[in-house]
């Protein structure tokens, strides 16, 4: 068909103007890819890699983490920078024992640094599968000996594990439970934590004091202390405890949260056995029990927690009843009532009555309101199925008061007094506790 002058049309180019062969097409595609890669670098594409890395030295870690979100190409360059010796020196600060840096609050500077580093590595590895992210991060951090369970020769005076903990908290914030399971398994494999726990829970308490201390510091500083939400803390504490039988869970709970020596930080196993203790020694255990009893800890039932408290009260041997009562008071009303109700349901009225007397004694000593103990007893009375069982329990409470006063009076009369005259003080507190306990009952009934 012949075209007329002035008619517009599209001419078909000759074959010679097309890419001549497959090799030339591949070269064109490569050039396009390179140009796209360079364009994602923006103005940085004019800089040699060495100059780019020198520029990074003038940026804060937070600024570098913001830069990593600009493009995948820049993120890859930052990953390479982190792996270089200069990047390692810049980012992996190791002033873990220099707790008082000039112009900084004690330890705060290096903790903030590792929070920022956690955010940087979180963003740089965003597109990697969890397994690959963990391997890369381990490769970066593996040279820091203070991040290891047995790595630091002076763990009590080191911020290494705390820095590792805040780093992991920022890194894993927002991850789902499956990914966090993988993180825990990965950490267990690196630290050999299960084998070390097996050693301490199967040995005589205190026979592996240094290992007990290191497990305590690792679990608290790396896995437990830095979470904002209780659900996260409950998740990680559950991961630590659940692989073990109940008796071992109680031992491990005592190692992690029990009282320690103010001199060397080692676990004090005889604290609950030798004499009455204070709230400070029990607060960590009580907080852990409350955490597991919360609805946030979905893997624990009320029976599980009460069984754990029962096992805990005989670690390493049976506790003084006063210490057991103090722990239950600190654990909260719900746990205390559930514990007492379980004894009522199981027909252990005598044991329950004695426990009630010690609740009154702790309220007297620690200046709690005595009406709380009376109302707790009143609530427990409703658990008994018959009036006869309830009346028997009330009689047991009165008998327990009488027997304990006689025992303490005998100790005073025997003349075995220590420097603090504790026998007489205990008798004094118990008599006052009985008087105030019955006064509250009179107020309630009259």
């Amino acid at each position: 068909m012949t075209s007329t002058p002035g008619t517009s049309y599209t001419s078909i180019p000759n074959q010679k103007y097309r890419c001549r062969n497959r090799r030339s097409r591949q070269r064109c595609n490569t050039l396009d890819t390179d140009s796209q890669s360079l364009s994602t670098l923006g103005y940085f594409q004019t800089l040699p890699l060495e100059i780019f890395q020198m520029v990074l030295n003038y940026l804060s870690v937070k600024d570098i983490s913001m830069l990593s979100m600009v493009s995948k190409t820049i993120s890859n360059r930052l990953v390479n920078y982190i792996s270089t010796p200069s990047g390692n020196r810049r980012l992996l600060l190791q002033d873990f024992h220099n707790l008082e840096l000039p112009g900084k609050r004690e330890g705060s500077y290096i903790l903030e640094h590792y929070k920022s580093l956690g955010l940087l590595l979180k963003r740089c590895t965003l597109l990697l599968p969890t397994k690959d992210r963990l391997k890369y991060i381990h490769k970066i951090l593996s040279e820091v000996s203070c991040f290891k369970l047995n790595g630091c020769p002076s763990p009590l005076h080191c911020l290494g594990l705390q820095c590792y903990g805040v780093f992991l908290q920022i890194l894993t914030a927002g991850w789902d439970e499956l990914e966090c399971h993988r993180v825990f398994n990965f950490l267990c494999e690196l630290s050999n934590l299960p084998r070390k726990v097996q050693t301490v829970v199967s040995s005589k308490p205190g026979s592996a004091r240094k290992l007990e201390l290191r497990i305590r510091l690792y679990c608290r500083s790396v896995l437990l202390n830095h979470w904002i939400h209780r659900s996260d803390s409950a998740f990680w504490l559950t991961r630590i405890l659940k692989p073990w039988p109940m008796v071992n869970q109680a031992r491990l709970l005592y190692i992690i949260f029990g009282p320690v020596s103010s001199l060397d930080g080692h676990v004090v196993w005889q604290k609950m056995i030798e004499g009455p203790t204070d709230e400070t020694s029990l607060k960590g255990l009580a907080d852990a029990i409350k955490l597991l009893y919360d609805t946030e800890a979905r893997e624990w039932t009320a029976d599980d927690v009460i069984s754990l408290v029962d096992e805990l009260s005989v670690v390493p041997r049976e506790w003084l009843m006063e210490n057991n009562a103090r722990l239950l008071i600190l654990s909260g009303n719900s746990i205390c009532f559930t514990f007492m109700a379980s004894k009522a349901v199981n027909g252990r009225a005598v044991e329950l009555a004695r426990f009630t007397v010690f609740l009154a004694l702790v309220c007297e000593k620690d200046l709690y309101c005595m009406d709380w103990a009376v109302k707790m007893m009143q609530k427990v009375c409703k658990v008994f199925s018959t009036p006869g069982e309830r009346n028997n329990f009330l009689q047991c409470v009165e008998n327990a008061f009488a027997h304990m006063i006689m025992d303490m009076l005998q100790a005073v009369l025997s003349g075995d007094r220590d420097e603090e005259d504790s026998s007489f003080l205990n008798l004094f507190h118990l008599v006052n506790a009985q008087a105030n306990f019955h006064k509250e009952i009179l107020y309630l009934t009259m």
Side-chain angles (χ1 to χ4, degrees), residues 79-310:
V79 168
N80 293 332
Y81 166 71
I82 295 169
S83 303
T84 62
S86 61
N88 262 251
R89 286 192 300 272
R90 163 84 193 286
L91 299 174
L92 296 183
L93 302 183
Q94 298 191 38
D95 295 321
F96 303 124
H97 304 91
N98 185 15
L99 303 184
E100 297 182 1
L101 297 174
K104 306 291 181 180
R105 284 180 296 137
E106 184 174 326
S108 63
Y109 168 72
I110 195 163
L111 288 170
E112 288 299 322
H113 173 82
Y114 274 95
K115 283 183 182 179
S116 301
L117 183 60
L119 185 61
L120 170 59
L121 290 178
K122 184 187 188 84
R123 289 169 171 172
C124 282
T125 61
L126 189 63
L127 300 178
L128 295 177
T130 301
K131 186 176 180 180
D132 294 339
R133 293 177 90 172
L134 294 175
K135 284 184 177 179
Y136 169 74
I137 290 166
H138 169 62
K139 180 182 176 183
I140 298 298
L141 303 181
S142 60
E143 299 303 318
V144 184
S145 61
C146 290
F147 286 173
K148 299 172 184 177
L149 192 148
N150 285 321
C152 181
S154 182
L156 281 175
H157 306 96
C158 178
L159 287 175
L161 292 180
Q162 292 185 50
C163 290
Y164 195 27
V166 299
F167 172 87
L168 286 174
Q169 187 266 324
I170 295 297
L171 177 72
T172 59
W175 291 16
D176 61 35
E177 282 197 4
L178 180 59
E179 291 175 315
C180 290
H181 272 281
R182 289 173 178 158
V183 173
F184 180 75
N185 293 335
F186 187 77
L187 292 174
C188 284
E189 184 178 347
L190 290 181
S191 62
N192 206 7
L193 182 63
R195 185 174 177 181
K196 291 178 170 61
V197 169
Q198 177 67 52
T199 299
V200 296
V201 298
S202 59
S203 304
K204 182 180 177 181
S207 61
R209 299 171 67 219
K210 291 183 178 180
L211 185 56
E212 290 169 358
L213 172 62
R214 288 187 179 275
I215 289 173
R216 178 188 178 97
L217 293 175
Y218 188 86
C219 290
R220 292 179 66 137
S221 298
V222 176
L223 300 176
L224 298 173
N225 282 358
H226 307 290
W227 299 104
I228 299 171
H229 303 293
R230 290 178 63 80
S231 57
D232 292 322
S233 300
F235 171 83
W236 290 99
L237 182 56
T238 300
R239 300 283 70 75
I240 294 170
L241 297 179
K242 272 296 184 180
W244 306 99
M246 189 68 71
V247 63
N248 290 343
Q249 288 178 14
R251 286 274 296 270
L252 187 53
L253 198 69
Y254 194 96
I255 288 171
I256 298 173
F257 296 105
V260 294
S261 168
S262 58
L263 298 176
D264 56 16
H266 292 130
V267 178
V268 182
W269 289 99
Q270 306 303 317
K271 186 82 169 180
M272 308 302 173
I273 302 165
E274 294 177 341
T277 188
D278 55 5
E279 292 184 4
T280 306
S281 300
L282 290 164
K283 189 179 185 305
L285 290 169
D287 288 344
I289 291 167
K290 283 192 287 188
L291 188 66
L292 298 178
Y293 193 81
D294 274 354
T295 53
E296 300 287 357
R298 298 187 300 273
E299 298 175 58
W300 297 84
T301 65
D303 287 341
D304 288 338
V305 178
I306 297 306
S307 297
L308 183 60
V309 172
D310 267 330

Side-chain angles (χ1 to χ4, degrees), residues 53-70:
Q53 292 184 355
M54 289 176 65
V55 171
L56 296 179
N57 290 330
Y58 290 90
L59 300 179
S60 69
V61 181
K62 287 184 179 180
D63 291 337
I64 296 174
S65 70
M66 291 292 293
L67 182 62
S68 69
M69 296 190 294
V70 171

Side-chain angles (χ1 to χ4, degrees), residues 27-54:
R27 187 167 62 251
C28 292
N29 292 337
T30 302
L31 291 172
D32 290 342
T33 303
D34 289 343
S35 63
Q36 290 172 4
S37 176
L38 287 173
S39 65
T40 58
L41 284 171
Y43 291 113
F44 288 115
Q45 67 181 342
T46 61
L47 297 178
L49 181 60
E50 293 80 3
I51 303 298
F52 175 76
Q53 292 184 355
M54 289 176 65

